[in-house]
Amino acid sequence: MTRPDIRSQTEREIQRQFEVWREPSYRVRQLLHWLYAGRAASWDEMTNLPKSLRQRLGETYTLAWPELARRQGARDTTQKFLWRLADGALIESVLIPASPALYGEPSDRHTLCVSTQVGCAYGCKFCASGLDGWKRHLRVEEIVNQVLAVERLEGGGGRTINNLVIMGMGEPLANYENLLPALRILNAPWGGKLGARKITVSTSGLAPQIRRLADEPQQFRLAVSLHGATDQTRGRIMPINKKYPLGELTAACEYYQEKKGRMITLEYILIAGVNDGLDQAPPLARLAHRLRARVNLIPCNKVEGLPWERPSEAAQEAFLAALERQKVAATLRREKGGEIDAACGQLRLKTERMFQRL
Ligand code: SAH
Ligand code: SF4
């Protein structure tokens, strides 16, 4: 039997194991402190735990830690971390400062974007993550560790990450069985201590799992990658729209909204000549009103090998204005991190291709 990783265990599970071992309960607290505040990468670092206990822990659990394969971007700008996992798989996390350091002042508020799968099975036509297909789900600890490893690298021992977005490589709700335990650990007072409202799950629209997430007790935020406000337009670029057409998707979103209050964002990447026509604005506005959702417009990033282009700035602004005229709370993302390939999956793809050429 393979050993579970210690960072896939809840406080309660560790307590039970320590009771079996007749370890005092303060040892649980010490261990949890090393795991989450200390971001320990090895048992040896846990110097206030007796050697015999550390050995026993090592025989019972793994303590995975991702290896940094590549880092791009300077501190106080958008940074990308490419991780190599135990089986050699490459995944990425992106760290985005809250206020881009226009004048070079350090920013201590950051959003981290994490991956949930190696590759992606959903094959959206504009996305780099799906280009090489799906390889595997990330395990609980592989999701959790992205947060801890970035904070450890950023140093200082304090909190660097105030917001978490589950928008990296992969479809998070397709990996529900590992995603939810990971989010609960990151949210727990004994774990990552990140408020549920500071955690946003982005999905391409897995309607049944959206309903399931709505039934969880935690108030996670939901971002829905809409990218088209009619079945015709959405279906052209997102194959998942055949399985869960807009009617079904929006009914699930409505259910989420009703259970959670105002917590939905509609993501809408603008692609020239595909979904930026002003005819898409009225149906998008109707949807946003019905779901009481914000709309986040994102000019699409160029992906090597894909034909899509971002609309001109004038066309972007015109689309935004059309939504605003219909009283939609909309924002247009003016680039952060575009230069270092911050769109999901792109760093991994480039690096893998580079390795293949070597
Ligand atoms: N699978 C999930 C989360 C990962 S994708 C989802 O689809 O929501 C995260 C976001 O990046 C999605 O909104 C996705 O549509 C967007 N994205 C993918 N390719 C992009 C590109 N080339 N330019 C801009 N955004 C892109
Ligand atoms: Fe997968 Fe999301 Fe990319 Fe679509 S946009 S291929 S669901 S990662």
Side-chain angles (χ1 to χ4, degrees):
M1 209 183 84
T2 52
R3 289 168 295 162
D5 194 88
I6 191 70
R7 284 198 187 90
S8 70
Q9 303 289 296
T10 61
E11 178 186 42
R12 192 70 212 104
E13 286 166 329
I14 297 174
Q15 272 165 352
R16 268 191 223 119
Q17 183 59 71
F18 276 40
E19 278 160 24
V20 172
W21 289 342
R22 302 197 179 286
E23 290 287 345
S25 60
Y26 71 89
R27 293 288 185 213
V28 176
R29 286 197 299 280
Q30 285 176 322
L31 172 62
L32 289 170
H33 187 81
W34 281 114
L35 291 175
Y36 298 102
R39 293 139 195 150
S42 72
W43 302 110
D44 291 341
E45 289 172 38
M46 306 181 186
T47 45
N48 61 357
L49 298 185
K51 250 200 153 131
S52 56
L53 176 58
R54 276 186 263 159
Q55 191 176 347
R56 203 164 202 186
L57 282 165
E59 286 160 4
T60 314
Y61 303 101
T62 57
L63 178 55
W65 195 252
E67 178 200 334
L68 184 68
R70 196 168 156 198
R71 184 178 185 166
Q72 258 185 307
R75 246 167 235 243
D76 301 314
T77 64
T78 297
Q79 293 185 72
K80 275 210 146 191
F81 301 83
L82 188 76
W83 309 108
R84 189 175 292 107
L85 304 177
D87 65 346
L90 293 169
I91 57 155
E92 63 194 13
S93 317
V94 183
L95 186 65
I96 308 148
S99 55
L102 285 178
Y103 307 102
E105 80 276 31
S107 168
D108 58 356
R109 299 187 55 81
H110 289 83
T111 297
L112 185 73
C113 171
V114 300
S115 297
T116 52
Q117 299 184 308
V118 184
C120 183
Y122 288 85
C124 302
K125 300 273 197 294
F126 45 80
C127 176
S129 289
L131 279 183
D132 286 348
W134 179 84
K135 301 226 169 79
R136 68 171 176 89
H137 291 308
L138 293 190
R139 289 193 294 271
V140 175
E141 65 275 12
E142 289 172 329
I143 299 172
V144 170
N145 280 343
Q146 292 172 63
V147 175
L148 302 175
V150 166
E151 289 199 319
R152 182 169 166 131
L153 277 171
E154 288 294 289
R159 162 120 282 160
T160 9
I161 296 159
N162 321 91
N163 270 300
L164 187 63
V165 294
I166 318 299
M167 281 191 190
M169 198 195 312
E171 168 48 53
L173 295 185
N175 187 11
Y176 201 97
E177 304 312 323
N178 294 329
L179 176 75
L180 257 287
L183 296 187
R184 286 190 207 111
I185 288 170
L186 287 166
N187 171 236
W190 50 263
K193 293 192 175 74
L194 261 172
R197 286 185 165 80
K198 305 282 183 183
I199 300 177
T200 303
V201 178
S202 174
T203 180
S204 59
L206 278 64
Q209 283 89 331
I210 289 175
R211 289 177 184 273
R212 199 171 157 194
L213 191 66
D215 291 333
E216 300 283 347
Q218 293 87 3
Q219 296 282 92
F220 300 124
R221 287 179 195 274
L222 183 69
V224 176
S225 295
L226 199 69
H227 309 331
T230 57
D231 280 318
Q232 199 197 5
T233 300
R234 193 168 193 262
R236 207 176 137 193
I237 46 179
M238 298 184 74
I240 193 175
N241 199 67
K242 290 200 184 61
K243 192 156 185 204
Y244 304 117
L246 279 173
E248 209 170 325
L249 171 58
T250 52
C253 292
E254 209 160 28
Y255 181 71
Y256 196 93
Q257 199 280 327
E258 278 162 13
K259 293 218 75 169
K260 303 290 185 197
R262 265 176 191 249
M263 304 192 95
I264 299 186
T265 303
L266 299 175
E267 303 278 334
Y268 197 99
I269 65 172
L270 290 165
I271 310 175
V274 174
N275 65 358
D276 63 337
L278 293 184
D279 60 318
Q280 287 288 302
L284 180 54
R286 276 197 295 279
L287 254 174
H289 286 309
R290 193 175 124 206
L291 302 174
R292 305 175 69 194
R294 290 182 304 146
V295 175
N296 198 5
L297 300 175
I298 310 147
C300 80
N301 281 308
K302 186 85 194 129
V303 177
E304 246 180 83
L306 297 183
W308 317 107
E309 300 285 345
R310 54 169 65 172
S312 67
E313 270 173 41
Q316 295 171 24
E317 298 290 346
F319 199 88
L320 174 68
L323 290 179
E324 285 173 340
R325 270 198 302 279
Q326 310 208 32
K327 308 255 179 300
V328 174
T331 51
L332 172 62
R333 195 183 294 170
R334 289 151 180 119
E335 254 330 77
K336 274 186 202 171
E339 299 74 31
I340 62 158
D341 301 323
C344 71
Q346 291 186 57
L347 182 66
R348 163 183 160 267
L349 207 70
K350 266 199 177 164
T351 308
E352 276 185 351
R353 284 181 181 164
M354 189 186 77
F355 285 150
Q356 280 160 10
R357 280 199 291 268
L358 291 177

